Every structure is written in structure tokens, then in C-alpha cells.
Amino acid sequence: MGMTDIIPLIVAKYNYWLFVVLMMIGLYAMIAKNNLIKKLVGMNIFQTAIILFYVSIGYKSGATLPIIQNVHEGHGHAAIHAADYINPLPHVLMLTAIVVSVATFGVAMALAVKIYQRYHTLEEDELRMRLSEK
Amino acid sequence: MKFFGFVVVCLVGGLLLYGTADFPDWGDPDSPASTHLSDIYIEHAFEQTQVPNIVTAILADYRGFDTMFETAVIFCAGLACFLLLRDFKERKERFYRHVPTGVILHVKNSKKALRVGRDFEHIDKDWIPSDLIIKTVCRILIPFIQIYALYVVAHGDFSPGGGFQGGVIFGSSLILLAISYDLKILVRRIKEKVLGICAAAGVLVYVGIAAICMPMGKSFLDYSALEMFVFDPHHVRALGMLGVEIGVGIAVAAVMAIIYINIVSEGRHDEGL
């Protein structure tokens, strides 16, 4: 594959590559970080990458946001072309996913507070030590 | 663990990057996601529902059943925070500040809250005096944020917005109140019971509107059954969606506040952040 072939590939796909990089940052934090709060932050970065991925799937070049315009002028019914509006379905799915991710993050934080109350630490290795003592 | 994590991340990332080669180009109007169902939604949503914002039309009508359970998930998250953290034991250590002199009293082992005179105020353990600017700015901002939240809920059919967004904005205004003043102000303004009832009532409004459609002879969540309740039968689906979105907004705002209050005060609802 020559240099001339690879540039259009980068232009066409670089958004997906950015989301993969972002997702891997989140995955690395979830696996390698020792602190539970840092793991949660990694989980949030991971979710954000997925949300961006979905929203970018819905994009169509040359289209506008999915709100029908000029509805009050009376001729809105016949003039709607699907190519003029971006795909609304990923937006719907991610709209609820964002709020649900905030809610689940809240539950995760509540669990972290409980763990801290009981073991007085949020570091994973110290937690494992405390657990093996019993 | 760091090395293992790095290897896993490189492998997964490499596989995903390899997979993107088969993806449609960014912004391709003929990509699989943007053809089949999406075209039907865009072309027919307005004539079928009379709602110009297609996202709202799909969220509250075509996928209304899904959204109902999303709301239930959020309610469950608030419930989980409450059940995990709520602690009804009162703190034994209390701090009172004499406002004219700034002297702080530290009361240990008090069973009940002391009855103090008007010159004293009950303060948090990590109370900081210099927050006049923050308090003033937030006091001015919060009403506008709340009105904006109501606008976002009410105008969700015609412009970007809806119950989830408006509810989150309203909830964040409550959290801002707690951050800029202290948690006691928020808990005194909105009782825990009210928040709990609001969270449940929001879900009930949604389910109720959905269920009323059944005795009217239509299926669950078919808003056209509500014709006899509204003045404008032409827009009956838009009004049904508005009712459902109001329910979602109430539930989300209340759950945001419940989660915040329980986490920052470790379930004691007295002081924190």
C-alpha cells in the first residue's frame, strides 16, 4: 500500500482510531491502576469513548441535526429527505446511556465509600492484604 | 500488573484498530447504520407524531418502552445509594460558631442537637469562612439555572432538550446549592422524604401515562388513546410525550440529589463538601 492510499484511509477513519485510543486509556486504567477511584475514572473514560463512537456513527456529511425545520410553513410534510438530517437513533441511545452512566457511577462511588468506611483504604493491594488476614 | 495491563491494552487496541478497516467512512450517508431504520424515522416521525425533534419522538414514542425502563434504572440507582449508605445515627461531635466573635465551640458526646441562641450557627467540621463571592454568585445563578432546566424539559419537543437533560440540569442546580453553601441548607430546603417521593413519582407519572392508554382501548404507551384528555387532539402524541418527559425530569433531578447527598455525607445527611 503506497503513501497515496493511506492518506484517504486516515482521513476517513481517524475518528474511530481516536475512540479506540481513548477506550484503551480507560481499559488500561481499569486494569493497571491500584486505586479504586482511579479505576472508576478509567471506567468513565471507557464509557465516554463508546458514547463518542455511537454519536460519530450517526453523523452524515452535509446533514444537520435531527430536528425537522420549517414545520410551521405548512409544506414540511413532503419536503423531508433522510439525507438532510443525521441519524437520530444513536443520539437517543446515548442520551439515555449518559444519564444511566452517571447513575451507575453514583452507585459505584457509594460502594467505594462503603469500602473505605470498613477497610480505611481504597488501594487494591492493601485491600487484598486486609481480606487475606481474615 | 502494569505490564500485563499494557499487553492486554495493546492486543485489544490492535484488534479494534484492525477492525476499523471494515468500518464505513466517517460521515458516509450510505453507511449501514444510517440507511434502513433511520430513514424511516426521519421521513415519517413528524407526520406520525407531530413532534419536530426526531430524537424526542424516538425516545418517548417509538422506543418509549425502553425509556421507561431507563428511568426505572435511574430510580434503582438512587435507591441503591440510599440503601447502601443511609445511616440514621447522628454524629456525636458538633461545632457551633458564635457569629459576632467567630469563636467556635466543639461539643463532644452530645446525644441531641443543642438548642443554641440566634448568635450561634451550626457549622461543618471543615468549615471555611472565606466564601462570600461564591455564595453570592451561586445565589444569583441558581434560579436562572432552574428556570433554564424547566425550559429544557418543556421545550424538548421542538428543540434540543427533554426530560433527561432538564432533570440533570435541575439536579445540578441543587448540588450547586449544597456546594456553595453547605449540605444543611439543601437538606433543610428539600427534605429527604420529598426527594424520595419525587423520584418514585417521576417513574409513576411515566408508567401511569403509559397505563392509562390501555383502558382507553389502545395498547400500552400508545398516546393517541389520550385524545379525550387534551384540548388539541391533533398534537395528542406530542402532549403525551411532554407528560412522559416531565416524569423523567422529576425522577432524574431527585435521583441526582439523592446520590449526591448520600455520597458526600456518607449517608448521614448532616455535613459534607
Side-chain angles (χ1 to χ4, degrees), chain A residues 68-106:
Chain A
I68 308 287
Q69 289 156 347
N70 306 322
V71 287
H72 300 299
E73 290 169 21
H75 52 74
H77 293 257
I80 300 168
H81 298 297
D84 295 341
Y85 299 99
I86 58 172
N87 185 358
L89 194 55
H91 290 247
V92 175
L93 298 176
M94 289 308 105
L95 170 59
T96 49
I98 290 169
V99 182
V100 169
S101 85
V102 170
T104 50
F105 188 70

Side-chain angles (χ1 to χ4, degrees), chain B residues 9-74:
Chain B
V9 161
C10 284
L11 277 176
V12 176
L15 273 175
L16 287 176
L17 283 175
Y18 176 70
T20 59
D22 295 334
F23 274 33
D25 292 353
W26 187 25
D28 181 10
D30 300 321
S31 67
S34 300
T35 44
H36 311 282
L37 192 57
S38 151
D39 291 356
I40 295 172
Y41 281 143
I42 294 170
E43 280 163 6
H44 300 291
F46 182 66
E47 79 185 73
Q48 285 175 349
T49 64
Q50 300 300 319
V51 170
N53 185 349
I54 308 172
V55 173
T56 304
I58 298 175
L59 181 86
D61 201 334
Y62 293 105
R63 296 182 63 90
F65 203 54
D66 176 40
T67 310
M68 189 176 86
F69 285 104
E70 301 276 8
T71 318
V73 166
I74 289 162

